[in-house]
Amino acid sequence: MIKDEDILNIEEPVLSAAERLYIPQILGGLKITIGHLAKSLTKSTVTIQYPEEKLEVRKEVYRGVHRLNRDENGRVACVACFMCSTACPADCIHIEAGDSPWDDREKYPIKFDLDELRCIFCGMCEEACPVDAIELTHEYDLVGRTREQMILDKEELLAIYDRTVQDKPRKNPRITGYAGTGNRPSAAPKTDGPEAS
Amino acid sequence: MAGVTEYVIVGAALFALGLVGFLSRRNLIVMFLSTEIMFQGVLVNVVAVGRLHGGLEGQAFGLFLLVIAAVEAGLALGLIVLLFRRRGTLDADAWSAMRG
Amino acid sequence: MWDFLTSQFGFSIALAAFIMLGVILPSVAYCIYFERKISAWIQDRKGPNRVGPLGLLQPVADGAKFFLKEDFIPGHVDKPLFLAAPAIIFIVSLVGFAAIPWGGQWQIGDKLLEVQVARPDIGLLYIIGVASMAVYGVVVGGWASNNKFAFFGAIRATAQMISYEIPMGLCILVVVLTMGTLRLETITSLQAGGEYWIGFIPQWNVFLHPLAFVVLFITALAEANRMPFDLAEAEQELVGGYHVEYSALKFGMFFLAEYAHMITGSAFIAVLFLGGWHFPYLPWTQPEATGFFAVMCKMAVIGGKIVAMLFVMMWIRWTIPRFRFDQLMRLAWLRLIPMMLAMFVLAVLLLYFRLHRSALAPAGNLLILGATLWIAARSTAPITGRQLNMPEIRNEPTQTGAMPAEAV
Amino acid sequence: MSTATTYALYLVFALGGAGVYFMLPRTGRSRVLSGAVLASLAVFALLAVLAFGVIDPAHGSGYFYLFAVIALLGAGRVITHPKPTYSALYFVLVAVAVAALLVLQGAEFLAVALVIIYAGAILITYAFVIMLAQQSGSPIYDRQSREPFIAVFAGFVLMAAIAGRAGELPLAGETVDAALTAPAALAAQTESPANQQDDSAQEGADESNSLRMGVIIMVNYVVVVQIAGVLLLIAMIGAIALSRKKVPSDGPRAADVPLGEIGRKVKPY
């Protein structure tokens, strides 16, 4: 039951004479639209011809397809700690860990599958990663012909890194809003990502 | 310009078909549709016979027939809607008893 | 063969085929292209530009899409009527073209041919009669779909079309009273002939009865189910209309029929009010010119008038939001019909005093428009207003409740 | 019309009666198909009898046969179809075909009026009432006819009686065509404001059917027009009074419900 004091009665606005007649309003609307039409015909529109022209995304906020980083030796940087798949709210990361053939770590991912169709691009995985191995790039043209193609495995994620190695993904707490609010997830260690360009 | 007799015969056939429908169907609306068919037959006849007499009086009369048909349709549909609300059926037999 | 083609009968058949296949069907298809282009321009976009140069092959691609889609018939429909409805509406929207005078007379050899498919005595009434049949496609389609929303859409559309036929008929009566004939070609040539008023205004009916012209345009929008009267097919708030169950080519026919209706309506208005094929000061479009070039000029002029009106229809579509249904009905019954009844009385009075082609006609139009607006501005039920007579859905403030004025 | 033609007509009507009898809806085994075959046979036989026994070949018109077939078959379907919606739509067909028959008789104005008023307005309302009042499925009163034999017998005897006497009318000839080609005198004898304009382009209009109809209706029968108008007004008032009956609703009225409960307890319909 809604209490009476919670009910807010909103009166219908009083119409002016012009609004009651409807006609001046119509004429005004027609003037606006013909102005837009003339503008579109004379000047260029804001439309971007997508496959030829690429949209410039705002790098400080945009989160696109993932990549798996390599370390300085060209190996996969992931240590198969499962932090990212634990943090993932969409449950889209599947890792199978194996004994690392290298000395500097114990495990490495034998399999690293990421279902881009389930992913909600929240960025939790890159916040969670202790070694900055998984990151979200600025690529947005993520397409595939089948659902299976949209599940990226380790090689594909590494290939994305090779492709976007110049790209510096944005992981700034000032923008993600975690710092200072006090409710930052404790599972995500503080990472010092590269500054925004 | 074709003759008059064949139009009279076609009009008579339409009229009789309407009569058959009015007598044999039980749905109120179809019964009224049948009377409208009788109207069409009369219309053809009136115009044909009017031609026989060499004036346009037949057509003028046909126009007034149309008015009557419109009046009849309006009132009949009003009545049918009323009856349908009372009984929830369009069956003419539902109204054969002499009590409301 | 040549003799047959140059007889009026053969020429009419050839003209019908040419107009139907060479003009109407392509222009219906390109109407859709321009509709999309104009909507894009008004919304600061580019519009279709992928298929062919400037996207000009887009209608071809659309048509191919309609053909190639799955022609699905739902299991619960009434199949014969479901199949008949698109055919009815499409045919009805095309046969109206038969009575439109496209280009006056054409002198071929020693024969004088009328560039008009059919020249009935009652050309004007013929077009109204055909237009009144269009409602069957809607009703039959909506009913045969066996779907509540389709049927509600059909009921909305029918109520709207029947209501707007009344002001349309009154507008046409005003023209008939002024012109004294029901033949469309006579109406055109009457407007084309004669002196220019005040030296430069042609004797078009639009200058005699501008208000009737505007109202006829509005009713043509409503008859063709165009914005702002397209409640029959409102997808956003009313989950579509009579064609919700249709797909592929059958839906395409409903879709094309709407544009064919627009073209018929525009041609009809052009003939009744804008002088048909006549253009002032252009010697080839006068009634006396009967050569081949003159006929082409006349067809181009009436075509241009039709295109101009189609443009205004599309412009309005992307400007004005949809009416609510009660607003739609109130506009027809409380505004347009009384206004047009007054116009009718005006036309009768002018005709009685033989002043029906004088400057008193537009003056009377302005007077009636002013009076209507004066009444409308003081009306308790403005067209834009809230739905009346439903007090129980409003939350009236109670004694203990907060005062709404302070809260706001 | 010879005696032989008359008897042939009677035979045709008997055939048609049998066809309609079989086509009428019934609860038992359906015999619609055989009835339809019989009725179509009867219609075509009727036209054949007309073509050979009645219609003057010099004045015959193929359109008459076409539209007569459409009108008669459509009318047969109106009275025999078990679904009322189909009946109404077949009736549209009949109305259009009858309009065409009227055009063939030179009554263009009446034909267009028929299409606009009947097909455009009256039948739409019929279709509405049918569609709204239809229950799910097909009710028994649509699937069963009442006294089909007596009805068919009465109807077709009437048809035979009228058609048998129709032969005593004079055939189409001098009377008719003379009347139709010399109507301008009628138009000229009365004054009409509209046709006295000095517009030169209007000479051709004097012959038109609509103008002559206008003269007859508005000059000779102007009182009848007024009476027809009054009749329509009365019918409109009557129809509104009949159908605007207040329906008592079952549930509580919306206004009786406490605030905040509106929309929860009261169904919107």
Side-chain angles (χ1 to χ4, degrees):
Chain A
M1 181 72 195
I2 301 169
K3 291 195 290 281
D4 273 350
E5 57 264 30
D6 291 340
I7 296 175
L8 186 65
N9 269 315
I10 297 172
E11 285 300 309
E12 174 178 9
V14 179
L15 300 179
S16 69
E19 282 165 339
R20 291 166 74 89
L21 287 182
Y22 209 75
I23 294 174
Q25 305 292 341
I26 290 180
L27 294 181
L30 287 174
K31 210 177 90 187
I32 291 173
T33 44
I34 197 85
H36 278 272
L37 195 149
K39 203 181 84 187
S40 300
L41 284 179
T42 50
K43 285 181 265 177
S44 72
T45 55
V46 297
T47 313
I48 285 174
Q49 296 292 310
Y50 164 62
E52 294 92 27
E53 296 173 49
K54 294 279 188 183
L55 183 71
E56 276 298 309
V57 295
R58 287 181 63 204
K59 298 222 162 168
E60 60 270 28
V61 292
Y62 194 83
R63 292 194 288 252
V65 68
H66 309 71
R67 73 183 189 193
L68 264 185
N69 290 352
R70 297 177 188 274
D71 60 9
E72 55 276 9
N73 298 327
R75 304 171 301 178
V76 58
C78 176
V79 295
C81 67
F82 287 81
M83 287 277 221
C84 53
S85 69
T86 309
C88 180
D91 209 8
C92 64
I93 304 176
H94 176 75
I95 307 173
E96 282 176 22
D99 281 336
S100 163
W102 310 299
D103 299 336
D104 56 346
R105 62 184 88 159
E106 288 178 8
K107 292 191 292 178
Y108 87 111
I110 300 174
K111 252 178 111 173
F112 194 104
D113 289 348
L114 208 156
D115 189 347
E116 296 288 354
L117 289 179
R118 292 197 63 149
C119 178
I120 57 170
F121 300 96
C122 61
M124 298 272 230
C125 47
E126 62 178 356
E127 297 286 334
C129 186
V131 293
D132 282 353
I134 186 165
E135 281 173 343
L136 273 75
T137 65
H138 302 139
E139 284 200 7
Y140 52 84
D141 41 0
L142 172 70
V143 289
R145 290 181 185 276
T146 59
R147 289 179 175 272
E148 287 70 33
Q149 278 183 10
M150 299 298 286
I151 300 174
L152 303 185
D153 62 13
K154 192 171 76 175
E155 302 308 318
E156 285 163 326
L157 291 168
L158 285 171
I160 293 171
Y161 172 76
D162 296 339
R163 201 159 70 222
T164 60
V165 68
Q166 271 80 36
D167 211 0
K168 297 294 177 216
R170 177 72 236 167
K171 283 183 290 185
N172 191 334
R174 267 189 294 140
I175 289 173
T176 51
Y178 286 131
T181 56
N183 55 0
R184 180 168 165 234
S186 57
K190 173 105 172 94
T191 55
D192 292 324
E195 288 298 320
S197 52
Chain B
M1 189 69 70
V4 169
T5 317
E6 64 264 31
Y7 287 99
V8 173
I9 291 175
V10 167
L14 280 176
F15 185 85
L17 281 174
L19 181 68
V20 171
F22 188 78
L23 291 177
S24 65
R25 294 302 297 265
R26 294 172 59 187
N27 188 322
L28 280 171
I29 295 179
V30 181
M31 285 168 73
F32 273 104
L33 278 179
S34 303
T35 61
E36 304 281 347
I37 287 200
M38 291 158 84
F39 256 120
Q40 307 287 313
V42 171
L43 199 59
V44 173
N45 263 2
V46 162
V47 173
V49 176
R51 248 175 13 126
L52 193 67
H53 288 279
L56 285 177
E57 269 81 3
Q59 296 182 24
F61 192 64
L63 210 57
F64 297 125
L65 270 186
L66 270 186
V67 173
I68 304 294
V71 167
E72 180 240 358
L75 285 178
L77 283 175
L79 271 174
I80 289 174
V81 168
L82 192 67
L83 298 181
F84 181 74
R85 275 189 193 150
R86 294 274 283 274
R87 286 278 169 90
T89 175
L90 290 175
D91 190 357
D93 288 349
W95 295 94
S96 55
M98 289 288 281
R99 37 188 276 276
Chain C
M1 187 64 198
W2 180 250
D3 283 344
F4 176 70
L5 269 184
T6 51
S7 70
Q8 181 65 49
F9 182 64
F11 181 73
S12 288
I13 292 174
L15 185 73
F18 169 69
I19 294 284
M20 209 52 85
L21 298 174
V23 179
I24 301 299
L25 288 182
S27 54
V28 163
Y30 276 90
C31 262
I32 298 173
Y33 170 77
F34 279 108
E35 174 99 56
R36 293 176 62 179
K37 270 291 187 194
I38 286 172
S39 79
W41 289 331
I42 283 178
Q43 296 164 356
D44 290 346
R45 295 184 285 114
K46 280 190 164 68
N49 60 355
R50 288 279 155 190
V51 194
L54 294 174
L56 277 172
L57 294 179
Q58 185 71 39
V60 183
D62 285 346
K65 186 193 78 173
F66 276 135
F67 271 106
L68 295 175
K69 277 202 166 183
E70 183 190 1
D71 198 7
F72 182 70
I73 299 177
H76 53 75
V77 300
D78 192 313
K79 210 170 160 189
L81 293 186
F82 188 76
L83 295 178
I88 293 174
I89 200 164
F90 196 64
I91 292 171
V92 162
S93 66
L94 286 182
V95 288
F97 288 112
I100 302 285
W102 294 103
Q105 292 174 321
W106 188 359
Q107 180 106 33
I108 299 180
D110 53 349
K111 288 176 184 163
L112 206 56
L113 299 176
E114 296 281 343
V115 187
Q116 191 174 3
V117 177
R119 300 167 58 234
D121 266 349
I122 31 131
L124 216 153
L125 291 179
Y126 165 80
I127 289 188
I128 305 176
V130 166
S132 72
M133 299 296 286
V135 85
Y136 280 100
V138 174
V139 161
V140 169
W143 184 79
S145 294
N146 199 3
N147 173 326
K148 274 184 194 133
F149 294 108
F151 186 50
F152 284 150
I155 288 184
R156 280 198 305 271
T158 314
Q160 170 185 333
M161 285 163 124
I162 291 181
S163 301
Y164 277 82
E165 254 170 39
I166 300 168
M168 184 177 85
L170 287 169
C171 290
I172 291 167
L173 270 182
V174 168
V175 175
V176 171
L177 282 172
T178 313
M179 292 277 127
T181 175
L182 291 170
R183 299 183 87 99
L184 288 173
E185 65 271 20
T186 316
I187 289 176
T188 310
S189 51
L190 274 181
Q191 293 180 77
E195 299 292 308
Y196 294 115
W197 287 316
I198 345 176
F200 63 95
I201 300 177
Q203 294 201 350
W204 294 357
N205 282 332
V206 64
F207 300 114
L208 274 180
H209 290 289
L211 187 57
F213 168 72
V214 173
V215 173
L216 186 61
F217 187 78
I218 292 172
T219 57
L221 284 179
E223 290 284 312
N225 282 329
R226 288 288 298 184
M227 277 281 196
F229 307 106
D230 67 338
L231 285 116
E233 48 210 49
E235 283 172 296
Q236 292 88 349
E237 70 267 31
L238 298 171
V239 283
Y242 50 90
H243 48 46
V244 281
E245 297 281 358
Y246 283 89
S247 61
L249 200 56
K250 293 198 287 297
F251 174 75
M253 282 165 86
F254 276 119
F255 198 60
L256 293 180
E258 179 185 326
Y259 286 91
H261 259 128
M262 283 165 65
I263 298 180
T264 323
S266 303
F268 189 49
I269 298 174
V271 169
L272 283 193
F273 278 99
L274 299 179
W277 36 257
H278 173 249
F279 199 80
Y281 297 112
L282 210 56
W284 304 290
T285 62
Q286 304 304 326
E288 301 82 36
T290 52
F292 174 75
F293 184 67
V295 170
M296 288 300 125
C297 265
K298 287 173 175 176
M299 289 176 93
V301 164
I302 190 171
K305 286 171 183 170
I306 292 172
V307 167
M309 255 179 298
L310 288 179
F311 170 73
V312 176
M313 285 183 179
M314 292 172 184
W315 177 19
I316 285 176
R317 168 168 182 175
W318 299 105
T319 302
I320 306 174
R322 205 171 269 145
F323 278 100
R324 223 190 305 123
F325 196 70
D326 63 310
Q327 295 172 340
L328 178 97
M329 283 296 163
R330 211 180 300 154
L331 179 66
W333 289 95
L334 297 186
R335 298 285 182 274
L336 295 185
I337 290 176
M339 192 160 84
M340 289 321 295
L341 280 173
M343 284 284 295
F344 179 63
V345 173
L346 171 80
V348 170
L349 285 178
L350 289 176
L351 184 65
Y352 185 77
F353 292 111
R354 293 283 185 278
L355 293 168
H356 54 287
R357 295 181 78 91
S358 68
L360 275 180
N365 271 263
L366 283 181
L367 196 70
I368 288 173
L369 179 67
T372 315
L373 292 183
W374 190 80
I375 293 169
R378 275 153 190 75
S379 157
T380 52
I383 289 175
T384 43
R386 169 186 262 276
Q387 191 165 5
L388 298 177
N389 302 327
M390 293 184 73
E392 65 268 24
I393 63 165
R394 301 189 66 177
N395 274 330
E396 296 300 331
T398 53
Q399 297 298 323
T400 55
M403 291 303 288
E406 293 162 8
V408 177
Chain D
M1 202 160 84
S2 65
T3 327
T5 315
T6 313
Y7 283 112
L9 273 181
Y10 292 161
L11 210 63
V12 166
F13 289 147
L15 190 67
V20 171
Y21 176 68
F22 285 136
M23 279 172 81
L24 278 172
R26 63 188 65 231
T27 41
R29 199 167 57 86
S30 169
R31 280 179 283 184
V32 172
L33 199 65
S34 48
V37 171
L38 277 182
S40 326
L41 262 181
V43 170
F44 287 111
L46 172 66
L47 293 183
V49 171
L50 290 184
F52 291 114
V54 178
I55 300 177
D56 185 359
H59 296 119
S61 154
Y63 292 113
F64 168 74
Y65 300 107
L66 177 66
F67 290 113
V69 165
I70 295 176
L72 289 178
L73 289 183
R77 227 38 204 126
V78 173
I79 61 169
T80 57
H81 207 287
K83 288 182 186 166
T85 311
Y86 277 79
S87 288
L89 293 174
Y90 273 115
F91 188 64
V92 179
L93 199 63
V94 175
V96 173
V98 166
L101 286 178
L102 296 184
V103 170
L104 289 182
Q105 302 191 68
E108 290 127 3
F109 185 81
L110 189 55
V112 176
L114 184 74
V115 168
I116 293 178
I117 296 174
Y118 249 91
I122 296 182
L123 278 164
I124 276 292
T125 49
Y126 265 104
F128 262 173
V129 174
I130 291 171
M131 291 168 181
L132 287 172
Q134 197 175 41
Q135 289 125 335
S136 56
S138 179
I140 180 70
Y141 54 85
D142 277 337
R143 285 182 280 119
Q144 200 182 37
S145 349
R146 179 179 49 193
E147 308 281 1
F149 182 75
I150 297 176
V152 169
F153 187 75
F156 278 82
V157 165
L158 178 71
M159 196 193 289
I162 301 174
R165 304 286 290 186
E168 293 170 17
L169 293 166
L171 271 176
E174 317 77 56
T175 358
V176 175
D177 290 343
L180 280 162
T181 47
L186 204 84
Q189 79 187 19
T190 46
E191 270 198 358
S192 155
N195 67 354
Q196 289 201 340
Q197 299 172 26
D198 38 11
D199 296 310
S200 54
Q202 206 160 346
E203 300 133 352
D206 281 344
E207 296 292 323
S208 80
N209 174 264
S210 46
L211 185 66
R212 287 182 289 140
M213 280 291 285
V215 170
I216 285 198
I217 291 174
M218 285 304 175
V219 178
N220 299 5
Y221 294 112
V222 66
V223 181
V224 189
V225 171
Q226 300 295 324
I227 293 174
V230 173
L231 198 61
L232 277 173
L233 183 69
I234 294 171
M236 188 174 79
I237 295 170
I240 292 172
L242 277 176
S243 52
R244 265 192 78 110
K245 188 109 177 162
K246 193 88 177 167
V247 194
S249 63
D250 303 332
R253 285 192 57 240
D256 301 336
V257 177
L259 281 176
E261 294 294 312
I262 294 172
R264 278 178 226 172
K265 285 189 177 160
V266 183
K267 286 185 186 155
Y269 43 82

